[in-house]
Structure formats: structure tokens, C-alpha cells
């Protein structure tokens, strides 16, 4: 990407790099390389028994155990080389069908992605469940939750 001044890379990946301790350098490099990073964390990690914030089941969108996320890496060409990019983030919890429904009816302009100040990361926060705020999306039979987390570098 060094030779590209503008563009977008969209990927669906394992979500462990979002808060994994061993991924600190990777996150730092991504923030140097890209002007904006948009992350929709789909969670669904059955290895750790991940659940929605209300305790209800959280399913993966694929038939795998590891949680996943959708990320857009954007280069606008407007960021200075010594600046770090901005991170916009949202969590999506719920059943597989609820997540499919949400994804089918939303896009980057309608998802409530929050800009994160990753420099204000607090070590206490890393021991808590993901989330700065919790928004309940009402649904007649089962709730779907979205919350926000810190993209930490330290």
C-alpha cells in the first residue's frame, strides 16, 4: 500500500487482531498506513463462549469457532505521513439470522460507527466486557445489541 495514495481495502477476517496483545504492532502499522479504518465486529467466538451483553447467545455468521469482523481500510491521500488514522467501530451481537438481517439492511452510511480515541485506552477497560455504550435494537422476539470498544495500541 506504500505506493498507493488513495483506495479502499475491504476484508472479512478473524477478529482477534482488534484487541489481542500480540497484535499491538499490527494495529499501530494499520493506523500509520490508512487514513480511516471502519470496523464492524461481528463477534461470535464460540471458543470463549462469547455471549451478547445481556447474556443471550451470540452466534457466528460462519460455521467456524473464531469470531469475525468486517473491516474497511481507507486511504484518502489527505493524512500526513506522521499522523495516525481514525478508527470507527461498532460491535454486532445476536443470532446468525439477526446478523444477516442487519447486514442486508445496513451499510457504512447507516451503521452507527463511533470514532474511537485509542490513545485514551485505560488498562482497567481491557479487563471489562467490550463496550463504551450499549444500544438496544428492538425486535419483537429477540434483542440484538450493538456496543463500542477501544482499538488499543498500548
Amino acid at each position: 500500500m506504500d505506493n498507493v495514495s488513495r483506495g479502499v481495502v475491504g476484508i472479512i477476517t478473524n477478529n482477534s487482531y482488534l484487541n489481542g496483545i500480540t497484535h499491538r504492532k499490527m494495529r499501530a502499522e494499520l493506523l500509520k498506513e490508512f487514513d480511516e479504518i471502519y470496523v464492524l465486529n461481528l463477534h461470535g467466538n464460540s471458543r470463549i463462549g462469547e455471549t451478547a451483553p445481556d447474556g443471550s447467545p451470540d452466534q457466528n455468521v460462519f460455521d467456524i469457532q473464531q469470531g469475525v469482523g468486517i473491516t474497511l481500510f481507507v486511504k484518502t491521500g489527505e493524512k500526513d505521513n506522521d499522523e495516525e488514522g481514525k478508527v470507527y467501530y461498532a460491535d454486532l451481537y445476536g443470532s446468525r439470522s439477526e446478523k444477516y438481517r442487519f447486514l442486508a439492511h445496513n451499510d457504512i452510511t447507516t451503521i452507527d460507527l463511533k470514532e474511537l480515541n485509542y490513545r485514551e485506552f485505560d488498562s482497567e477497560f481491557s479487563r471489562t466486557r467490550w463496550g463504551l455504550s450499549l444500544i438496544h435494537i428492538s425486535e419483537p422476539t429477540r434483542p440484538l445489541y450493538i456496543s463500542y470498544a477501544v482499538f488499543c495500541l498500548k
Side-chain angles (χ1 to χ4, degrees), residues 1-153:
M1 292 299 295
D2 285 341
N3 298 331
V4 178
S5 61
R6 295 184 338 168
V8 176
V9 176
I11 58 173
I12 299 173
T13 62
N14 172 325
N15 66 1
S16 64
Y17 78 94
L18 297 174
N19 67 344
I21 291 173
T22 60
H23 299 94
R24 290 176 180 160
K25 181 68 175 166
M26 177 182 170
R27 289 189 297 267
E29 290 301 315
L30 289 170
L31 289 168
K32 276 193 238 175
E33 187 67 33
F34 294 97
D35 301 0
E36 298 170 354
I37 300 172
Y38 297 86
V39 179
L40 179 58
N41 189 346
L42 300 174
H43 292 277
N45 189 336
S46 64
R47 288 181 183 188
I48 61 170
E50 193 166 34
T51 60
D54 70 349
S56 65
D58 180 52
Q59 296 177 330
N60 199 306
V61 295
F62 301 113
D63 288 326
I64 60 174
Q65 294 179 345
Q66 178 60 50
V68 297
I70 300 171
T71 308
L72 296 176
F73 298 98
V74 180
K75 284 185 103 169
T76 63
E78 298 172 10
K79 181 178 78 67
D80 291 332
N81 288 339
D82 59 343
E83 277 184 280
E84 289 180 332
K86 294 180 180 181
V87 177
Y88 301 90
Y89 183 99
D91 286 310
L92 182 60
Y93 293 97
S95 71
R96 178 182 290 188
S97 63
E98 290 168 336
K99 290 177 183 182
Y100 285 167
R101 192 168 29 260
F102 180 86
L103 293 169
H105 293 94
N106 289 280
D107 60 39
I108 195 165
T109 64
T110 60
I111 296 172
D112 188 21
L113 294 154
K114 300 290 185 192
E115 183 176 354
L116 302 178
N117 184 340
Y118 39 83
R119 289 291 170 202
E120 290 182 3
F121 179 75
D122 178 83
S123 63
E124 251 334 278
F125 183 79
S126 68
R127 287 182 279 237
T128 68
R129 204 154 158 86
W130 290 74
L132 300 175
S133 64
L134 183 65
I135 298 170
H136 177 261
I137 299 174
S138 62
E139 188 163 286
T141 56
R142 205 163 169 313
L144 176 67
Y145 289 91
I146 298 176
S147 64
Y148 307 96
V150 171
F151 191 94
C152 64
L153 295 178

